[in-house]
Amino acid sequence: MASVSLSLALSPLLLPAPRPRRQSRPINPGIPRRLRLSLAHGAPSRFAGPVAAAPDGVAIADVVEKDWSFLDAAAAGGGLLRALAAGELSPASRVLAVTPAPSFVAALLSGTPCQLLVAAHESLYVLAGIKEGHDEVRCFHLEGGGGGRGGGVVEAVPERFNAFDAVFVCYLPGMGVSVAALLKSLVKRCSKGGRVVIFLDQGRQNLELHRREYPEVVTADLPTRSSLEKATAGSKFEIVEFVDEPALYLAVLEFQG
């Protein structure tokens, strides 16, 4: 009987501690407009809740997330491959990709090895997806899009990553800055002979569709040849290639500094 009494006395201590019950929350099928960030590494989510993103040096803050997922829907085609070829990359290249989709990063790394790849984007969801798939990519948050600090003028990328041999501007209409302001910000970031490749592999035929369906993202147009010439006049950039077709927009500028 003594052994039975001892067993009964200790039995509550052997039971697992009760776990707090989670309160269920309705799932929001869209990307939340405002959210609180955490710095833990993880994959992006389109549902409400903390974002697990890993851009370097991002501060915990409230941000407005926009839906950039429509740019990752198209498979890598001839337009994207042509844009990558225009960068004239080598294994020693230092590359900056501004507002890239995860599919662009995957296509670049799979087909064109480079020494360094830096991704800069206003979307922490996109950066988290890039970091999850390619941890070697250095990711930086363009705070507040083109209208805020960092914005489309890449101040958020530390100066230790200067001397870029190629800068790919993947979606200028969503950056909220003019091409002249963008080029001005890149003067001190490019190596001599470095290339700035502004492209849209879906061309103008889909730009107006994007503008209608995603007006919060598409806030500007693609530069024409004349506006690009005006933006580069008196600068250290020279236009070396320009294509403006329904299915491909491509502007390649070379830094002469």
Side-chain angles (χ1 to χ4, degrees), residues 140-226:
F140 295 94
H141 182 221
L142 302 179
E143 299 177 34
R149 178 186 174 276
V153 289
V154 302
E155 289 133 344
V157 179
E159 293 184 359
R160 68 179 182 272
F161 295 108
N162 282 356
F164 288 110
D165 302 299
V167 177
F168 291 96
V169 183
C170 302
Y171 202 72
L172 181 63
M175 291 172 56
V177 296
S178 66
V179 67
L182 175 67
L183 295 178
K184 182 179 180 181
S185 72
L186 292 175
V187 167
K188 296 181 179 180
R189 316 305 299 265
C190 294
S191 62
K192 185 174 181 179
R195 291 194 158 199
V196 176
V197 181
I198 304 171
F199 75 98
L200 180 59
D201 58 338
Q202 301 176 49
R204 289 186 185 272
Q205 67 181 5
N206 285 327
L207 182 60
E208 287 306 317
L209 178 62
H210 294 170
R211 197 194 306 272
R212 290 194 300 271
E213 295 186 356
Y214 303 92
E216 74 283 0
V217 175
V218 186
T219 58
D221 202 354
L222 291 165
T224 62
R225 175 80 188 222
S226 60

Side-chain angles (χ1 to χ4, degrees), residues 17-102:
R19 297 182 179 180
R21 298 182 62 183
R22 291 187 177 183
Q23 295 182 351
S24 61
R25 295 187 302 171
I27 294 178
N28 179 4
I31 288 181
R33 291 298 179 187
R34 301 194 65 83
L35 45 131
R36 175 67 66 180
L37 307 181
S38 70
L39 296 181
H41 178 65
S45 170
R46 290 176 57 87
F47 303 134
V51 178
D56 298 330
V58 67
I60 297 178
D62 287 324
V63 299
V64 176
E65 267 291 299
K66 300 174 184 177
D67 184 2
W68 290 76
S69 61
F70 67 98
L71 294 177
D72 210 35
L80 177 56
L81 298 178
R82 187 169 175 180
L84 289 172
E88 296 188 344
L89 303 183
S90 73
S93 293
R94 297 168 61 85
V95 181
L96 170 64
V98 185
T99 60

